[in-house]
Amino acid sequence: MADTQTESPPQAYVLSFRCPDRLGVVARYSGLMYECGAYITEVSNYSDPVTEMFFLRCVFDDRAMTVPYAELAGRLETLAADMAMDYTLRPACERPRVLVAVSRYDHCLSALLTKWQAGALPAEIVAVVSNHEDCRRLAEFHGLPYHHLPVTADNKPEQEAALYALMEAERVDLLVLARYMQILSDDLCRRIEGRAINIHHSFLPGFKGARPYHQAYERGVKVIGATAHYVTSDLDEGPIIAQEVRPIDHQVSVQQMVHYGHDIEATALAQAVRLHCEQRVILNGQRTVIL
């Protein structure tokens, strides 16, 4: 009888880190990988001459591993302590758990859900939360729970507490503000720093606040854009992850700019979420390094 057993495919892992740039960083990291038999399949790095920081992302698998994964992780922790390394290591199959917040505009939400169900977004979207009911049918069409958390000037602290409690209950790794038209409090921004992405319907920096397309129209701009960035307590000032632009001319009306904007907002946000979930974004002060 033929042997029908087949070997399991290699388990892949993703490692990303930043540390002070100095002689031997690559040698010590790669030496550890070699000693443990980690088979590197993808690697990219960047050395910032201004901040004198080093950034690296690699993917490796266990096809030739000579030690258990736990031992590699322990040795990496020791190396990280010695080199002042801030790192993240995880199995590539573990997809970040994402909560999407939306208000009434559904174009960014629709793009995210479509890409997610098509397998083009390496995330596990766990639910949709909103201060309105407008997007409930869209979320439920995609089989997702819809949490309605209305907000007023009087209940904002309680509403934000409920939002954060939902994140905790669902073990959310990333909150995506997909045209969620509420300004988060400084306290909440600090609690979710580095794990919340917002889409700003303008090409930052510039034309901040309300009605950015109208401001751009009044200035006669020749390019409109959208900016996906991390959420911070400084409104629309967070580190930028992705931007999209579209050239226009004097014939384009405000209404046309808004319609064009829907497309570029959805594209920029989906790109930023993908980059974050693939562990390609590393913070570099107020900037980001994309590897």
Side-chain angles (χ1 to χ4, degrees):
M1 182 175 180
D3 185 1
T4 59
Q5 291 184 345
T6 58
E7 293 185 3
S8 300
Q11 171 67 61
Y13 301 88
V14 184
L15 167 67
S16 61
F17 68 81
R18 63 181 178 185
C19 67
D21 196 8
R22 57 181 172 176
L23 185 65
V25 173
V26 173
R28 295 196 59 186
Y29 131 79
S30 59
L32 173 60
M33 295 289 107
Y34 176 75
E35 292 168 7
C36 295
Y39 197 102
I40 297 174
T41 58
E42 179 184 343
V43 64
S44 55
N45 60 266
Y46 172 67
S47 177
D48 189 333
V50 177
T51 62
E52 297 184 336
M53 294 291 290
F54 180 81
F55 306 83
L56 184 142
R57 176 188 183 272
C58 82
V59 181
F60 65 92
D61 64 44
D62 62 1
R63 75 183 75 177
M65 287 269 282
T66 56
V67 301
Y69 170 71
E71 181 176 334
L72 182 150
R75 293 180 62 177
L76 180 62
E77 185 174 355
T78 301
L79 178 65
D82 184 49
M83 301 186 67
M85 178 190 295
D86 181 14
Y87 75 97
T88 300
L89 173 66
R90 66 174 176 86
C93 62
E94 289 186 2
R95 297 192 167 194
R97 295 173 63 82
V98 173
L99 174 66
V100 184
V102 65
S103 288
R104 284 182 164 144
Y105 296 112
D106 64 1
H107 52 284
C108 288
L109 174 64
S110 179
L112 288 171
L113 297 185
T114 299
K115 289 181 178 295
W116 169 61
Q117 290 212 322
L121 195 65
E124 183 59 44
I125 298 180
V126 297
V128 176
V129 62
S130 179
N131 55 323
H132 296 285
E133 287 281 9
D134 300 57
C135 296
R136 177 180 291 277
R137 291 181 61 186
L138 176 59
E140 293 179 346
F141 172 80
H142 288 274
L144 290 169
Y146 190 84
H147 300 271
H148 181 215
L149 300 179
V151 59
T152 66
D154 296 328
N155 79 337
K156 188 173 180 65
E158 292 78 12
Q159 193 262 5
E160 284 196 347
L163 173 59
Y164 188 76
L166 177 61
M167 292 181 64
E168 292 287 285
E170 292 289 350
R171 308 186 316 281
V172 168
D173 300 302
L174 179 68
L175 173 66
V176 178
L177 307 182
R179 292 303 300 271
Y180 180 67
M181 308 304 288
Q182 292 291 317
I183 298 175
L184 303 184
S185 68
D186 290 351
D187 177 64
L188 182 58
C189 287
R190 283 190 292 268
R191 297 173 80 178
I192 61 176
E193 185 175 358
R195 56 191 188 110
I197 294 175
N198 185 35
I199 182 67
H200 184 79
H201 45 300
S202 183
F203 189 76
L204 293 177
F207 306 122
K208 301 176 184 177
R211 298 164 68 87
Y213 291 120
H214 293 74
Q215 297 178 52
Y217 178 77
E218 290 168 3
R219 292 290 300 275
V221 301
K222 298 300 182 279
V223 170
I224 59 172
T227 303
H229 62 89
Y230 284 114
V231 174
T232 66
S233 55
D234 294 324
L235 181 63
D236 299 330
E237 296 286 346
I240 293 171
I241 306 169
Q243 293 182 293
E244 291 287 329
V245 297
R246 174 166 180 162
I248 60 171
D249 60 24
H250 61 278
Q251 301 181 75
V252 178
S253 67
V254 171
Q255 290 73 24
Q256 288 173 310
M257 290 168 66
V258 171
H259 293 156
Y260 294 161
H262 286 179
D263 292 335
I264 56 181
E265 289 162 24
T267 300
L269 182 59
Q271 180 184 8
V273 173
R274 178 184 61 80
L275 291 171
H276 178 95
C277 291
E278 290 179 349
Q279 209 170 303
R280 295 184 181 277
V281 187
I282 306 178
L283 289 174
N284 185 19
Q286 291 302 305
R287 304 170 65 235
T288 59
V289 172
I290 311 295
L291 297 174

